[in-house]
Amino acid sequence: MLTIEDCIALSDLNESEIEAISEHEHIPEIVAAEYGNYLMHSPEGVPMLKRIILDDIAAAERRNDLKHALHLRLVLRHFVRSHRDLRPAAN
């Protein structure tokens, strides 16, 4: 049987990135790990995941939850740095 940790590891994302997907899509973390895995292995996935995190940041700022917005900015920073090689090539 796979654990949530196994599913996160298979997704090529970290726990905070999975939590951002879960928050954005209003789905359990285990489902977010599978969705993240799907996105990470699709051509449009990295830009979509970046947009998800940006949307979460905007939502936190609208709620005036600046601590969470800061956390999500750090998640975004890590995501962009970690997945540079997966970004689509510029035309």
Side-chain angles (χ1 to χ4, degrees):
M1 175 188 292
L2 292 176
T3 66
I4 183 69
E5 291 81 13
D6 294 331
C7 293
I8 290 171
L10 291 170
S11 73
D12 294 326
L13 296 168
N14 68 31
E15 187 172 355
S16 293
E17 293 159 344
I18 297 297
E19 288 170 356
I21 296 168
S22 176
E23 177 181 336
H24 186 269
E25 299 298 320
H26 308 284
I27 56 178
E29 281 188 28
I30 190 76
V31 178
E34 176 56 31
Y35 185 50
N37 180 52
Y38 164 76
L39 289 174
M40 285 301 296
H41 297 97
S42 67
E44 67 281 353
V46 170
M48 286 180 68
L49 286 165
K50 182 178 176 185
R51 176 80 292 182
I52 285 170
I53 300 168
L54 286 167
D55 288 349
D56 287 348
I57 292 168
E61 289 174 345
R62 281 192 303 274
R63 302 191 296 276
N64 207 28
D65 187 349
L66 302 181
K67 183 177 178 182
H68 188 54
L70 175 60
H71 169 73
L72 289 167
R73 287 183 185 281
L74 294 173
V75 171
L76 177 63
R77 181 180 184 191
H78 177 269
F79 178 78
V80 169
R81 286 184 173 176
S82 297
H83 303 292
R84 286 182 180 156
D85 57 324
L86 298 176
R87 281 186 278 181
N91 291 332

Coordinates of all heavy atoms in Angstrom, one line a residue:
M1 N 0.8 -1.2 0.0 CA 0.0 0.0 0.0 C 0.9 1.2 0.0 O 1.9 1.3 0.7 CB -0.9 0.0 1.2 CG -1.7 1.3 1.4 SD -2.6 1.5 2.9 CE -3.8 0.2 2.8
L2 N 0.5 2.2 -0.8 CA 1.3 3.5 -0.9 C 0.8 4.4 0.2 O -0.4 4.5 0.5 CB 1.1 4.2 -2.2 CG 1.7 3.5 -3.4 CD1 1.3 4.2 -4.7 CD2 3.2 3.4 -3.3
T3 N 1.7 5.1 0.8 CA 1.4 6.2 1.8 C 1.3 7.5 1.1 O 1.7 7.7 -0.1 CB 2.4 6.3 2.9 OG1 3.7 6.7 2.3 CG2 2.6 4.9 3.6
I4 N 0.8 8.5 1.8 CA 0.8 9.9 1.2 C 2.2 10.3 0.9 O 2.4 11.0 -0.2 CB 0.0 10.9 2.1 CG1 -0.1 12.3 1.5 CG2 0.7 11.0 3.5 CD1 -1.0 12.4 0.3
E5 N 3.1 10.0 1.7 CA 4.5 10.4 1.5 C 5.0 9.7 0.2 O 5.8 10.4 -0.6 CB 5.4 10.0 2.7 CG 5.2 10.8 3.9 CD 4.0 10.3 4.7 OE1 3.4 9.2 4.5 OE2 3.5 11.0 5.6
D6 N 4.7 8.5 -0.1 CA 5.1 7.8 -1.3 C 4.5 8.5 -2.5 O 5.2 8.7 -3.5 CB 4.6 6.3 -1.3 CG 5.2 5.5 -0.3 OD1 6.4 5.7 0.1 OD2 4.5 4.5 0.1
C7 N 3.2 8.9 -2.4 CA 2.5 9.6 -3.5 C 3.2 10.9 -3.8 O 3.3 11.3 -5.0 CB 1.0 9.7 -3.3 SG 0.2 8.1 -3.2
I8 N 3.5 11.6 -2.7 CA 4.2 12.9 -2.9 C 5.5 12.8 -3.6 O 5.9 13.5 -4.5 CB 4.3 13.7 -1.6 CG1 2.9 14.1 -1.1 CG2 5.2 14.9 -1.7 CD1 2.9 14.7 0.3
A9 N 6.3 11.8 -3.1 CA 7.6 11.5 -3.7 C 7.5 11.2 -5.2 O 8.3 11.6 -6.0 CB 8.3 10.4 -3.0
L10 N 6.5 10.4 -5.6 CA 6.3 10.0 -7.0 C 5.9 11.2 -7.9 O 6.1 11.2 -9.1 CB 5.2 8.9 -7.1 CG 5.6 7.6 -6.5 CD1 4.4 6.7 -6.5 CD2 6.7 7.0 -7.4
S11 N 5.3 12.3 -7.3 CA 4.8 13.4 -8.0 C 5.9 14.4 -8.5 O 5.6 15.2 -9.3 CB 3.8 14.2 -7.2 OG 4.5 14.9 -6.2
D12 N 7.1 14.2 -8.0 CA 8.2 15.2 -8.3 C 7.9 16.6 -7.7 O 8.5 17.6 -8.2 CB 8.5 15.3 -9.8 CG 9.0 14.0 -10.3 OD1 9.8 13.3 -9.6 OD2 8.8 13.7 -11.5
L13 N 7.1 16.6 -6.7 CA 6.8 17.9 -6.0 C 7.0 17.7 -4.6 O 7.2 16.6 -4.1 CB 5.3 18.3 -6.2 CG 4.8 18.5 -7.7 CD1 3.3 18.6 -7.8 CD2 5.5 19.8 -8.2
N14 N 7.1 18.8 -3.8 CA 7.3 18.7 -2.4 C 5.9 18.8 -1.7 O 4.9 19.2 -2.3 CB 8.3 19.6 -1.8 CG 8.0 21.1 -1.9 OD1 6.8 21.4 -1.8 ND2 9.0 21.9 -2.1
E15 N 5.9 18.6 -0.4 CA 4.7 18.7 0.4 C 4.0 20.0 0.3 O 2.7 20.1 0.2 CB 4.9 18.3 1.8 CG 3.6 18.1 2.6 CD 3.9 17.6 4.0 OE1 5.0 17.2 4.4 OE2 2.9 17.5 4.8
S16 N 4.7 21.1 0.3 CA 4.1 22.4 0.3 C 3.5 22.7 -1.1 O 2.4 23.3 -1.2 CB 5.2 23.5 0.6 OG 5.6 23.4 1.9
E17 N 4.1 22.2 -2.1 CA 3.5 22.3 -3.5 C 2.2 21.6 -3.6 O 1.3 22.0 -4.2 CB 4.6 21.9 -4.5 CG 5.7 22.9 -4.6 CD 7.0 22.3 -5.2 OE1 7.1 21.1 -5.4 OE2 7.9 23.1 -5.5
I18 N 2.2 20.4 -3.0 CA 1.0 19.5 -3.0 C -0.1 20.2 -2.2 O -1.3 20.3 -2.6 CB 1.3 18.1 -2.4 CG1 2.3 17.4 -3.3 CG2 0.0 17.4 -2.2 CD1 1.8 17.1 -4.7
E19 N 0.3 20.8 -1.1 CA -0.7 21.6 -0.2 C -1.3 22.7 -1.0 O -2.5 23.0 -0.9 CB 0.0 22.0 1.0 CG 0.3 20.9 2.0 CD 1.1 21.4 3.2 OE1 1.6 22.5 3.2 OE2 1.4 20.5 4.1
A20 N -0.5 23.4 -1.8 CA -1.0 24.5 -2.6 C -2.0 24.0 -3.7 O -3.0 24.7 -3.9 CB 0.2 25.3 -3.3
I21 N -1.7 22.9 -4.3 CA -2.7 22.3 -5.2 C -4.0 22.0 -4.5 O -5.1 22.3 -5.0 CB -2.1 21.1 -5.9 CG1 -0.9 21.5 -6.8 CG2 -3.2 20.4 -6.8 CD1 -0.1 20.3 -7.3
S22 N -3.8 21.3 -3.3 CA -5.0 20.9 -2.5 C -5.8 22.1 -2.2 O -7.1 22.1 -2.3 CB -4.5 20.2 -1.3 OG -5.6 19.9 -0.4
E23 N -5.2 23.2 -1.7 CA -5.9 24.5 -1.4 C -6.6 25.0 -2.6 O -7.8 25.4 -2.5 CB -4.9 25.5 -0.8 CG -5.4 26.8 -0.5 CD -4.3 27.7 0.0 OE1 -3.3 27.3 0.5 OE2 -4.5 29.0 -0.1
H24 N -5.9 25.1 -3.7 CA -6.5 25.7 -4.9 C -7.7 25.0 -5.5 O -8.7 25.5 -5.8 CB -5.4 25.9 -6.0 CG -5.8 26.6 -7.2 ND1 -6.4 26.0 -8.3 CD2 -5.8 27.9 -7.5 CE1 -6.6 26.9 -9.2 NE2 -6.3 28.1 -8.7
E25 N -7.5 23.6 -5.5 CA -8.6 22.8 -6.1 C -9.6 22.3 -5.1 O -10.6 21.7 -5.5 CB -7.9 21.6 -6.8 CG -6.9 22.0 -7.9 CD -7.6 22.7 -9.0 OE1 -8.7 22.3 -9.4 OE2 -7.0 23.6 -9.5
H26 N -9.4 22.6 -3.8 CA -10.3 22.1 -2.8 C -10.5 20.6 -2.8 O -11.6 20.1 -2.8 CB -11.7 22.8 -2.9 CG -11.6 24.3 -3.0 ND1 -11.3 25.1 -1.8 CD2 -11.6 25.2 -4.0 CE1 -11.2 26.3 -2.2 NE2 -11.4 26.4 -3.5
I27 N -9.3 19.9 -2.8 CA -9.3 18.5 -2.9 C -8.4 18.0 -1.8 O -7.5 18.7 -1.3 CB -8.9 17.9 -4.3 CG1 -7.5 18.5 -4.7 CG2 -9.9 18.2 -5.3 CD1 -7.0 18.0 -6.0
P28 N -8.5 16.7 -1.4 CA -7.6 16.1 -0.4 C -6.2 16.0 -0.9 O -6.0 16.0 -2.1 CB -8.2 14.7 -0.1 CG -9.6 14.7 -0.6 CD -9.6 15.8 -1.7
E29 N -5.2 16.1 0.0 CA -3.8 16.0 -0.4 C -3.5 14.8 -1.3 O -2.7 14.9 -2.2 CB -2.9 16.1 0.8 CG -2.8 17.5 1.3 CD -1.7 17.6 2.4 OE1 -0.7 16.8 2.4 OE2 -1.9 18.4 3.3
I30 N -4.0 13.7 -1.0 CA -3.7 12.5 -1.8 C -4.2 12.7 -3.2 O -3.5 12.3 -4.2 CB -4.3 11.2 -1.2 CG1 -3.8 9.9 -1.8 CG2 -5.8 11.2 -1.2 CD1 -2.4 9.6 -1.4
V31 N -5.3 13.3 -3.4 CA -5.8 13.6 -4.8 C -4.9 14.7 -5.4 O -4.6 14.6 -6.6 CB -7.3 14.0 -4.8 CG1 -7.8 14.3 -6.2 CG2 -8.1 12.9 -4.2
A32 N -4.5 15.7 -4.6 CA -3.6 16.7 -5.1 C -2.3 16.2 -5.6 O -1.7 16.6 -6.5 CB -3.5 17.8 -4.1
A33 N -1.8 15.2 -4.8 CA -0.5 14.5 -5.2 C -0.7 13.9 -6.6 O 0.2 14.0 -7.4 CB -0.1 13.5 -4.2
E34 N -1.8 13.2 -6.8 CA -2.0 12.5 -8.1 C -2.1 13.6 -9.2 O -1.6 13.5 -10.3 CB -3.2 11.6 -8.1 CG -3.6 11.0 -9.4 CD -2.4 10.2 -10.0 OE1 -1.6 9.6 -9.3 OE2 -2.4 10.1 -11.3
Y35 N -2.9 14.6 -9.0 CA -3.1 15.7 -9.9 C -1.7 16.4 -10.2 O -1.4 16.7 -11.4 CB -4.1 16.7 -9.4 CG -4.5 17.8 -10.4 CD1 -4.8 17.5 -11.7 CD2 -4.5 19.1 -10.0 CE1 -5.2 18.5 -12.6 CE2 -4.8 20.1 -10.9 CZ -5.2 19.8 -12.2 OH -5.5 20.8 -13.1
G36 N -1.0 16.6 -9.2 CA 0.4 17.2 -9.4 C 1.3 16.4 -10.2 O 2.0 16.8 -11.1
N37 N 1.2 15.0 -10.0 CA 2.0 14.1 -10.8 C 1.6 14.2 -12.2 O 2.4 14.2 -13.1 CB 1.8 12.7 -10.2 CG 2.5 11.7 -11.0 OD1 3.7 11.8 -11.2 ND2 1.9 10.6 -11.5
Y38 N 0.3 14.2 -12.5 CA -0.2 14.3 -13.9 C 0.3 15.6 -14.5 O 0.8 15.6 -15.6 CB -1.7 14.3 -13.9 CG -2.3 14.8 -15.2 CD1 -2.3 14.0 -16.3 CD2 -2.9 16.1 -15.3 CE1 -2.8 14.5 -17.5 CE2 -3.4 16.6 -16.5 CZ -3.4 15.8 -17.6 OH -3.8 16.2 -18.8
L39 N 0.2 16.8 -13.8 CA 0.6 18.0 -14.3 C 2.1 18.1 -14.6 O 2.6 18.6 -15.6 CB 0.2 19.2 -13.4 CG -1.3 19.5 -13.4 CD1 -1.6 20.6 -12.3 CD2 -1.8 19.9 -14.7
M40 N 2.9 17.5 -13.6 CA 4.4 17.5 -13.8 C 4.8 16.7 -15.0 O 5.9 17.0 -15.5 CB 5.0 17.0 -12.5 CG 5.0 17.9 -11.4 SD 5.8 19.5 -11.7 CE 7.5 19.0 -12.0
H41 N 4.0 15.8 -15.4 CA 4.4 15.0 -16.6 C 3.6 15.3 -17.8 O 3.5 14.5 -18.8 CB 4.3 13.5 -16.2 CG 5.2 13.2 -15.1 ND1 4.8 13.1 -13.7 CD2 6.5 12.9 -15.0 CE1 5.8 12.8 -13.0 NE2 6.9 12.7 -13.7
S42 N 3.0 16.5 -17.9 CA 2.3 17.0 -19.1 C 3.0 18.2 -19.6 O 3.6 19.0 -18.8 CB 0.9 17.2 -18.8 OG 0.7 18.3 -17.9
P43 N 3.0 18.5 -20.9 CA 3.7 19.6 -21.4 C 3.3 21.0 -20.8 O 4.1 21.9 -20.6 CB 3.4 19.6 -22.9 CG 2.9 18.2 -23.2 CD 2.4 17.7 -21.9
E44 N 2.0 21.1 -20.5 CA 1.6 22.4 -20.0 C 1.6 22.5 -18.4 O 1.1 23.5 -17.9 CB 0.2 22.7 -20.5 CG -0.9 21.8 -20.0 CD -1.0 20.4 -20.7 OE1 -0.3 20.2 -21.7 OE2 -1.8 19.6 -20.2
G45 N 2.0 21.4 -17.8 CA 1.9 21.3 -16.4 C 2.7 22.3 -15.5 O 2.1 22.8 -14.6
V46 N 3.9 22.6 -15.8 CA 4.7 23.5 -15.0 C 4.1 24.9 -15.0 O 3.9 25.5 -14.0 CB 6.2 23.5 -15.5 CG1 6.9 24.7 -14.8 CG2 6.8 22.2 -15.1
P47 N 3.7 25.5 -16.2 CA 3.0 26.8 -16.1 C 1.7 26.7 -15.4 O 1.3 27.7 -14.7 CB 2.8 27.1 -17.6 CG 3.7 26.3 -18.4 CD 4.0 25.1 -17.6
M48 N 1.0 25.6 -15.5 CA -0.3 25.5 -14.8 C -0.1 25.5 -13.3 O -0.8 26.1 -12.5 CB -1.1 24.3 -15.2 CG -1.7 24.4 -16.6 SD -2.6 22.9 -17.1 CE -4.0 23.0 -15.9
L49 N 0.9 24.8 -12.8 CA 1.3 24.7 -11.4 C 1.7 26.1 -10.9 O 1.3 26.5 -9.8 CB 2.3 23.6 -11.1 CG 1.8 22.2 -11.2 CD1 2.9 21.2 -11.3 CD2 0.8 21.9 -10.0
K50 N 2.5 26.8 -11.7 CA 2.9 28.1 -11.3 C 1.7 29.0 -11.1 O 1.6 29.7 -10.1 CB 3.9 28.7 -12.3 CG 4.4 30.1 -12.0 CD 5.3 30.6 -13.0 CE 5.8 32.0 -12.7 NZ 6.6 32.5 -13.7
R51 N 0.7 28.9 -12.0 CA -0.5 29.7 -12.0 C -1.3 29.3 -10.7 O -1.9 30.2 -10.1 CB -1.3 29.5 -13.2 CG -2.7 30.2 -13.3 CD -2.6 31.6 -13.7 NE -2.0 32.4 -12.6 CZ -1.8 33.7 -12.5 NH1 -2.2 34.5 -13.5 NH2 -1.2 34.3 -11.6
I52 N -1.4 28.1 -10.4 CA -2.1 27.6 -9.2 C -1.5 28.3 -7.9 O -2.3 28.8 -7.1 CB -2.1 26.1 -9.1 CG1 -3.0 25.4 -10.1 CG2 -2.4 25.6 -7.6 CD1 -2.9 23.9 -10.2
I53 N -0.2 28.3 -7.8 CA 0.4 28.9 -6.7 C 0.2 30.4 -6.6 O -0.1 31.0 -5.6 CB 1.9 28.5 -6.6 CG1 2.1 27.0 -6.5 CG2 2.6 29.2 -5.4 CD1 3.5 26.5 -6.7
L54 N 0.3 31.0 -7.8 CA 0.0 32.5 -7.9 C -1.4 32.8 -7.5 O -1.7 33.8 -6.8 CB 0.3 33.0 -9.3 CG 1.8 33.1 -9.7 CD1 1.9 33.3 -11.2 CD2 2.5 34.2 -8.9
D55 N -2.4 32.0 -7.9 CA -3.8 32.2 -7.5 C -3.9 32.0 -6.0 O -4.7 32.8 -5.4 CB -4.7 31.1 -8.2 CG -4.9 31.4 -9.7 OD1 -4.5 32.5 -10.2 OD2 -5.4 30.5 -10.4
D56 N -3.2 31.1 -5.4 CA -3.3 30.9 -4.0 C -2.7 32.1 -3.2 O -3.3 32.5 -2.2 CB -2.5 29.6 -3.5 CG -3.2 28.3 -3.9 OD1 -4.4 28.4 -4.3 OD2 -2.6 27.3 -3.7
I57 N -1.6 32.7 -3.8 CA -1.1 33.9 -3.2 C -2.1 35.0 -3.2 O -2.3 35.7 -2.2 CB 0.3 34.3 -3.9 CG1 1.3 33.2 -3.6 CG2 0.7 35.7 -3.4 CD1 2.6 33.3 -4.5
A58 N -2.7 35.2 -4.3 CA -3.7 36.3 -4.5 C -4.8 36.1 -3.5 O -5.3 37.0 -2.9 CB -4.1 36.4 -5.9
A59 N -5.3 34.8 -3.4 CA -6.4 34.6 -2.5 C -6.0 34.9 -1.0 O -6.8 35.4 -0.3 CB -6.9 33.1 -2.6
A60 N -4.8 34.5 -0.7 CA -4.4 34.7 0.7 C -4.3 36.2 1.0 O -4.6 36.7 2.0 CB -3.0 34.1 1.0
E61 N -3.8 37.0 0.0 CA -3.7 38.4 0.1 C -5.1 39.1 0.2 O -5.3 40.0 1.0 CB -2.9 39.0 -1.0 CG -1.4 38.7 -0.9 CD -0.6 39.1 -2.1 OE1 -1.1 39.4 -3.2 OE2 0.7 39.1 -2.0
R62 N -6.0 38.6 -0.6 CA -7.4 39.1 -0.5 C -8.0 38.9 0.9 O -8.8 39.7 1.4 CB -8.3 38.5 -1.6 CG -8.1 39.1 -2.9 CD -9.2 38.6 -3.9 NE -9.3 37.2 -4.0 CZ -8.6 36.4 -4.9 NH1 -7.7 37.0 -5.7 NH2 -8.8 35.1 -4.9
R63 N -7.6 37.8 1.5 CA -8.1 37.5 2.9 C -7.3 38.2 4.0 O -7.5 38.1 5.2 CB -8.0 36.0 3.2 CG -8.7 35.0 2.4 CD -8.6 33.6 3.1 NE -7.3 33.0 3.2 CZ -6.7 32.4 2.3 NH1 -7.2 32.2 1.1 NH2 -5.5 31.8 2.6
N64 N -6.3 38.9 3.5 CA -5.3 39.6 4.4 C -4.5 38.6 5.3 O -4.2 38.9 6.4 CB -6.0 40.7 5.2 CG -5.1 41.8 5.6 OD1 -4.1 42.1 4.9 ND2 -5.4 42.4 6.8
D65 N -4.3 37.4 4.7 CA -3.5 36.4 5.4 C -2.1 36.5 4.9 O -1.7 35.7 4.1 CB -4.1 35.0 5.2 CG -3.5 33.9 6.0 OD1 -2.4 34.2 6.6 OD2 -4.0 32.8 6.0
L66 N -1.4 37.5 5.3 CA -0.1 37.8 4.8 C 1.0 36.8 5.1 O 1.9 36.6 4.4 CB 0.3 39.2 5.2 CG -0.6 40.4 4.8 CD1 -0.1 41.7 5.3 CD2 -0.9 40.3 3.4
K67 N 0.8 36.2 6.3 CA 1.8 35.1 6.7 C 1.7 33.9 5.7 O 2.7 33.4 5.2 CB 1.5 34.6 8.1 CG 2.4 33.6 8.6 CD 2.1 33.2 10.0 CE 3.1 32.1 10.5 NZ 2.8 31.8 11.9
H68 N 0.4 33.5 5.3 CA 0.3 32.4 4.4 C 0.7 32.9 3.0 O 1.3 32.1 2.2 CB -1.2 32.0 4.3 CG -1.5 30.8 3.5 ND1 -0.8 29.6 3.7 CD2 -2.3 30.5 2.5 CE1 -1.2 28.7 2.9 NE2 -2.1 29.2 2.1
A69 N 0.4 34.1 2.6 CA 0.9 34.6 1.3 C 2.4 34.6 1.2 O 3.0 34.2 0.2 CB 0.4 36.0 1.1
L70 N 3.1 34.9 2.3 CA 4.6 34.9 2.3 C 5.0 33.4 2.2 O 5.9 33.1 1.4 CB 5.1 35.5 3.6 CG 6.6 35.4 3.8 CD1 7.4 36.1 2.6 CD2 7.0 35.9 5.1
H71 N 4.4 32.5 2.9 CA 4.7 31.1 2.8 C 4.6 30.6 1.3 O 5.5 30.0 0.8 CB 3.9 30.3 3.7 CG 4.0 28.8 3.5 ND1 5.1 28.1 3.8 CD2 3.1 27.9 2.9 CE1 4.9 26.8 3.4 NE2 3.7 26.7 2.9
L72 N 3.5 31.0 0.7 CA 3.2 30.6 -0.7 C 4.2 31.2 -1.7 O 4.6 30.6 -2.6 CB 1.8 30.9 -1.1 CG 0.7 30.1 -0.4 CD1 -0.7 30.7 -0.6 CD2 0.8 28.6 -1.0
R73 N 4.7 32.4 -1.4 CA 5.7 33.0 -2.2 C 7.0 32.2 -2.1 O 7.7 32.1 -3.1 CB 6.0 34.5 -1.8 CG 4.8 35.4 -2.2 CD 5.2 36.9 -1.8 NE 4.0 37.7 -2.1 CZ 3.7 38.2 -3.4 NH1 4.5 37.8 -4.4 NH2 2.7 38.9 -3.5
L74 N 7.3 31.7 -1.0 CA 8.5 30.9 -0.8 C 8.3 29.5 -1.5 O 9.2 29.0 -2.1 CB 8.8 30.6 0.7 CG 9.2 31.9 1.4 CD1 9.4 31.6 2.9 CD2 10.5 32.4 0.9
V75 N 7.1 29.0 -1.5 CA 6.7 27.8 -2.2 C 6.9 28.0 -3.7 O 7.6 27.2 -4.4 CB 5.3 27.3 -1.9 CG1 4.9 26.2 -2.9 CG2 5.2 26.9 -0.5
L76 N 6.4 29.2 -4.2 CA 6.6 29.5 -5.6 C 8.1 29.6 -6.0 O 8.5 29.1 -7.0 CB 5.8 30.8 -5.9 CG 6.0 31.3 -7.4 CD1 5.4 30.3 -8.4 CD2 5.3 32.7 -7.5
R77 N 8.8 30.3 -5.2 CA 10.3 30.5 -5.4 C 11.0 29.1 -5.6 O 11.7 28.9 -6.5 CB 10.9 31.3 -4.3 CG 12.3 31.6 -4.5 CD 12.8 32.4 -3.3 NE 14.2 32.8 -3.5 CZ 15.0 33.3 -2.6 NH1 14.5 33.6 -1.4 NH2 16.2 33.6 -2.8
H78 N 10.7 28.3 -4.6 CA 11.3 26.9 -4.7 C 10.8 26.2 -5.9 O 11.6 25.5 -6.6 CB 10.9 26.1 -3.4 CG 11.4 24.7 -3.4 ND1 10.7 23.7 -3.9 CD2 12.6 24.2 -3.0 CE1 11.5 22.6 -3.8 NE2 12.6 22.9 -3.3
F79 N 9.5 26.2 -6.2 CA 9.0 25.5 -7.4 C 9.7 26.0 -8.7 O 10.2 25.2 -9.5 CB 7.5 25.8 -7.5 CG 6.9 25.1 -8.7 CD1 6.7 23.7 -8.7 CD2 6.6 25.9 -9.8 CE1 6.1 23.1 -9.9 CE2 6.1 25.3 -11.0 CZ 5.8 23.9 -11.0
V80 N 9.8 27.3 -8.9 CA 10.4 27.9 -10.1 C 11.9 27.4 -10.2 O 12.4 27.0 -11.2 CB 10.3 29.4 -10.1 CG1 11.1 30.0 -11.2 CG2 8.8 29.8 -10.3
R81 N 12.6 27.5 -9.0 CA 14.0 27.2 -9.0 C 14.2 25.7 -9.3 O 15.2 25.2 -9.9 CB 14.7 27.6 -7.7 CG 14.9 29.0 -7.6 CD 15.6 29.4 -6.4 NE 16.0 30.8 -6.4 CZ 16.5 31.4 -5.4 NH1 16.8 30.8 -4.3 NH2 16.8 32.7 -5.5
S82 N 13.3 24.9 -8.7 CA 13.5 23.4 -8.8 C 13.1 22.8 -10.2 O 13.5 21.7 -10.5 CB 12.6 22.7 -7.7 OG 13.0 23.1 -6.5
H83 N 12.3 23.5 -10.9 CA 11.7 23.0 -12.1 C 12.0 23.8 -13.3 O 11.3 23.8 -14.3 CB 10.2 22.8 -12.0 CG 9.9 21.9 -10.8 ND1 10.2 20.6 -10.7 CD2 9.3 22.2 -9.6 CE1 9.8 20.1 -9.6 NE2 9.3 21.0 -8.9
R84 N 13.2 24.5 -13.3 CA 13.6 25.3 -14.5 C 13.8 24.5 -15.7 O 13.4 24.9 -16.8 CB 14.9 26.0 -14.2 CG 14.9 27.1 -13.2 CD 16.2 27.7 -13.0 NE 16.0 28.8 -12.1 CZ 17.0 29.3 -11.4 NH1 18.2 28.8 -11.4 NH2 16.8 30.3 -10.5
D85 N 14.3 23.3 -15.5 CA 14.5 22.4 -16.7 C 13.2 21.9 -17.3 O 13.3 21.4 -18.5 CB 15.4 21.2 -16.3 CG 14.7 20.4 -15.2 OD1 14.1 21.0 -14.3 OD2 14.9 19.1 -15.2
L86 N 12.1 22.1 -16.7 CA 10.8 21.6 -17.2 C 10.0 22.7 -17.9 O 8.9 22.4 -18.4 CB 10.0 20.9 -16.1 CG 10.6 19.7 -15.5 CD1 9.8 19.2 -14.3 CD2 10.8 18.6 -16.5
R87 N 10.5 23.9 -17.8 CA 9.7 25.0 -18.5 C 9.8 24.8 -20.0 O 10.8 24.4 -20.5 CB 10.3 26.3 -18.1 CG 9.9 26.8 -16.7 CD 10.4 28.1 -16.4 NE 11.8 28.0 -16.0 CZ 12.5 29.0 -15.6 NH1 12.1 30.2 -15.7 NH2 13.8 28.8 -15.2
P88 N 8.7 25.2 -20.7 CA 8.7 25.2 -22.1 C 9.8 26.1 -22.7 O 10.1 27.2 -22.2 CB 7.3 25.6 -22.6 CG 6.7 26.1 -21.4 CD 7.5 25.8 -20.1
A89 N 10.4 25.7 -23.8 CA 11.4 26.5 -24.5 C 10.7 27.7 -25.1 O 9.6 27.7 -25.6 CB 12.1 25.7 -25.6
A90 N 11.5 28.8 -25.1 CA 10.9 30.1 -25.7 C 11.0 30.0 -27.2 O 12.0 29.4 -27.7 CB 11.7 31.3 -25.2
N91 N 10.0 30.5 -27.8 CA 10.0 30.4 -29.3 C 10.6 31.7 -29.9 O 10.5 32.7 -29.5 CB 8.6 30.3 -29.8 CG 8.1 28.9 -29.5 OD1 8.9 27.9 -29.4 ND2 6.8 28.7 -29.3

